[in-house]
Amino acid sequence: MKKLSFSIFGFWILAVLAGRLFQLNPNHIDLNAILSLPNATYLLGADDLGRSILARLLRGVEVSFLVAIIVTAVTMTSGVLIGLIAGFYGGKVDQILMQITDIFLAFPGILLAIAFAAVLGPGLGNLMIALCITGWVSYARLTRGQTLSLRNRQHVQAAESLGASVPRLILRHILPLLASILVVEATYSLASVMIAEASLSFLGLGIQSPNASWGAMLRDGVRYMLVAPHYVLIVGLSLMSLILAINLGGDYLRDKFDVRTEK
Amino acid sequence: MLISACTQQNSSAQLHRDIVFAIAQAPLNLDPRYATDAASERVNRLIYQSLVDFDAQSKPVASLASWLAVSPTEYRFKLNKIRMPFHNQAPLNASDVKATYDSLATLKDSPHTAEFANIKNIEVIDNDIVVFHLKQADRHFPAKLIIGILPADLIAKNQDFSHQPMGSGALKFISWQNKLSLQRLKDCQKISLLEVKDPTVRVLKLLHGEVDLLQGELPPELVKYLQTKPEIIVKTSVGANFSYLGLNMQDPVLQNLKVRQAIAHAIDRNAIIAKVMVSSTRVASAILPPEHYTNHSSTNHSSTNHANLPVYDYNPTLAKQLLIEAGVKQPLKLVYKTSTDAQRVRFATIMQAQMQPAGIDLEIRSLDWGTFFEDVKQGNFQLYGLTWVGIKTPEIYVKAFGSKSVPPNGFNRGRYTDAELDALLANENWPAATTRIHNQLPYIPLWYEGQFAAMHKQIKHYLPKSDGNWDDLATITKP
């Protein structure tokens, strides 16, 4: 599974690099090639505007990676910070922060993202803002739970007795113990952000034409499912393979960091 | 008598032969005094009768009544001697005509009320004759009387015609739940209108026999796909609905005629039509199509059949040159607003690519319909794409380009002011006005999208019409 995960992931990284190397143009329109099947000129066929599906797939995966990495970084940072503060200080601070978190948790994440994206308007920047607004919650809950437990560990109390400052306690004595869990969570988050980005673009709230995105490609592909099934199949399988690879990678990391599994 | 002929027994015998018509958008309002969406207007033409209709050249012709212009402010309408009663068997008389148009004047929220503000009063002479007295002379007044006639007694009772329509047209309203069920009076044939929004699902339902026919609103690829199916027949006709790019004439860059000409020369209409539109689509030069009667006018003014209008062929080199002459910085950045409709976005993306070699950098903003249309009405745009649907009268030129027709007083959304054009419009010199508009380019004309209908082979007597109406549901048969 580990090999499969890294192979698929590696394939997409190499493919993106190759796309850049060969300067594939994802926006070149060829009206004579509309919905053409895979051929020598268009290796994966052409879309409803005669654009290369291969070039658009590669540009689309770049966008997916970009969105996933930025959104995961922002949501992880903010979520972990909120969780640490809530867990470390407890009491009223914890109550208020967790009530805010619960409000966000009360809505299905993707619906909330759709609502924010609709209010903010379509576009890459707004899409990332919408995903960031909704994505920090799981990190905050996870971090807060772990911090509550770590806060009372003997080494933390010992450091506190020796006069260690709060930032030092958090950064040196609590956060390192959270790292493995957060890395695993971040891996799963990458996959869910990619799916969320594709979903919002599918609904027309994400990346705007003519920029390539897998969600928008899926949406266009569905319209031509009867006449050019290869279009939607290629994009669907690509998305599935990448998400599968990331999730398998997450499973591998979880097992790797889990002491019981190691034993 | 015809209605009573549709007995319960007859109806159940017909049940298995109901004709199901798949439509992309269900009607919104079956009260002709309120309806503005295309689906409602198309259904209302079948449920109700109007005093006036239009012939193939869009000339107003007698329908329920013939008329005589007694003076420019007085029109006398005589109802046909033999005429269909209302579907509840009540006779249709001149008093119903008066009640219908009188009620329009009193409705506060009808979008059609303003159209009839010029009516001073309506006089009923007898059961067959009604006279309209106008405040001001209006040569085109009869062409406005296309609102379906409602029964006076039900108007008085404030019947909800939007959901319980009562007309005297070829089809009678039966019910409206998941689908709109109608019954043809002459043979009791039931016809159901079923809303299926997704084009692929619409096609699949047709292929699986769940629906009998569909019309328009499909990507051309799906039309070609249906043409390959032996059990399906696709019928086409030329279209008369005018698609265009609207320009904001208050924009400092777009005020320059050379810039507008450059945009016109930067779009390859023929390539778009050939590759991503149905085959019966025609390049457009003016809102009213070449066959419109104003283009064959033999009175007073010279005629134009669009043949003498200059052609804006695709010429990026010329477009670039025009931009240089206009003194604008290249690439010229323009924002194009359109709806989120997939086919509209597709056109926009092609135009974006075609404009690039002409030195125009087009940014596409696809907005949900409400936001988009509000922006267009408010003049909050540089370029936008829309289609005029079902336009029949040349007064559209006054409403769309007259200096006094800026919203909310008309449809001059680009805020175009042209004293010379105003004078031509005031004189009703339509050919000269058409030429002036074509030369000045407040709109960039695109095309008249072809019409098509796909149906099972056993369906007979249905042809798509140039304005997309569904009138042939009055004649369609399914053995």
Side-chain angles (χ1 to χ4, degrees), chain B residues 347-403:
Chain B
F347 294 146
T349 312
I350 296 174
M351 285 192 265
Q352 182 185 48
Q354 289 176 343
M355 286 184 186
Q356 251 172 3
I360 299 170
D361 183 4
L362 194 68
E363 180 190 333
I364 300 166
R365 285 200 196 146
S366 70
L367 307 164
D368 68 277
W369 175 255
T371 312
F372 166 61
F373 198 53
E374 198 53 39
D375 277 1
V376 169
K377 284 193 289 188
Q378 297 295 329
N380 181 19
F381 60 84
Q382 272 189 305
L383 275 87
Y384 69 89
L386 270 179
T387 298
W388 281 112
V389 178
I391 300 299
K392 303 284 186 186
T393 62
E395 280 188 306
I396 184 64
Y397 290 129
V398 180
K399 290 178 185 170
F401 304 113
S403 303

Side-chain angles (χ1 to χ4, degrees), chain B residues 259 262 318-328 330 332 358-360:
Chain B
V259 173
L318 174 60
K320 224 174 165 73
Q321 183 58 37
L322 284 164
L323 288 181
I324 292 167
E325 287 171 21
V328 296
Q330 291 189 43
L332 170 63
I360 299 170

Side-chain angles (χ1 to χ4, degrees), chain B residues 184-445:
Chain B
R184 193 161 56 203
L185 298 184
K186 70 175 182 188
D187 58 359
C188 307
Q189 173 67 57
K190 277 194 179 172
I191 296 168
S192 299
L193 274 62
L194 177 69
E195 184 186 62
V196 185
K197 285 188 183 291
D198 188 87
T200 306
V201 178
R202 218 155 49 242
V203 167
L204 287 172
K205 279 184 179 285
L206 180 68
L207 292 173
H208 293 169
E210 289 177 46
V211 303
D212 296 295
L213 80 154
L214 53 83
Q215 181 176 319
E217 314 270 350
L218 287 185
E221 288 79 6
L222 286 180
V223 179
K224 284 174 194 156
Y225 172 74
L226 284 171
Q227 282 169 331
T228 63
K229 299 291 167 187
E231 70 274 27
I232 301 293
I233 185 161
V234 177
K235 294 179 181 174
T236 59
S237 83
V238 292
N241 296 332
F242 172 76
S243 294
Y244 63 95
L245 293 190
L247 305 166
N248 190 338
M249 302 296 281
Q250 303 286 309
D251 186 279
V253 176
L254 296 173
Q255 276 177 347
N256 191 323
L257 177 60
K258 285 187 187 298
V259 173
R260 303 199 295 274
Q261 288 169 337
I263 297 169
H265 282 293
I267 302 168
D268 191 350
R269 298 163 191 76
N270 288 316
I272 295 173
I273 290 170
K275 298 297 179 185
V276 295
M277 302 197 77
V278 289
S279 58
S280 49
T281 301
R282 303 176 284 176
V283 171
S285 297
I287 295 181
L288 299 172
E291 60 273 15
H292 193 275
Y293 76 91
T294 54
N295 295 324
H296 304 278
S297 167
S298 55
T299 55
N300 297 330
H301 310 298
S302 61
S303 72
T304 170
N305 193 13
H306 292 192
N308 56 348
L309 298 176
V311 177
Y312 295 106
D313 54 349
Y314 183 56
N315 190 338
T317 315
L318 174 60
K320 224 174 165 73
Q321 183 58 37
L322 284 164
L323 288 181
I324 292 167
E325 287 171 21
V328 296
K329 190 183 156 196
Q330 291 189 43
L332 170 63
K333 287 185 185 296
L334 292 172
V335 175
Y336 174 59
K337 290 189 175 175
T338 184
S339 68
T340 50
D341 177 80
Q343 189 71 348
R344 295 268 172 196
V345 176
R346 196 180 188 194
F347 294 146
T349 312
I350 296 174
M351 285 192 265
Q352 182 185 48
Q354 289 176 343
M355 286 184 186
Q356 251 172 3
I360 299 170
D361 183 4
L362 194 68
E363 180 190 333
I364 300 166
R365 285 200 196 146
S366 70
L367 307 164
D368 68 277
W369 175 255
T371 312
F372 166 61
F373 198 53
E374 198 53 39
D375 277 1
V376 169
K377 284 193 289 188
Q378 297 295 329
N380 181 19
F381 60 84
Q382 272 189 305
L383 275 87
Y384 69 89
L386 270 179
T387 298
W388 281 112
V389 178
I391 300 299
K392 303 284 186 186
T393 62
E395 280 188 306
I396 184 64
Y397 290 129
V398 180
K399 290 178 185 170
F401 304 113
S403 303
K404 292 177 183 166
S405 298
V406 171
N409 300 318
F411 309 120
N412 186 353
R413 293 151 182 161
R415 278 69 179 164
Y416 178 56
T417 51
D418 181 349
E420 193 177 328
L421 178 64
D422 285 341
L424 293 171
L425 295 174
N427 290 329
E428 298 191 354
N429 187 347
W430 307 122
T434 305
T435 306
R436 174 81 185 163
I437 293 162
H438 192 74
N439 289 336
Q440 290 299 309
L441 289 170
Y443 280 1
I444 308 285

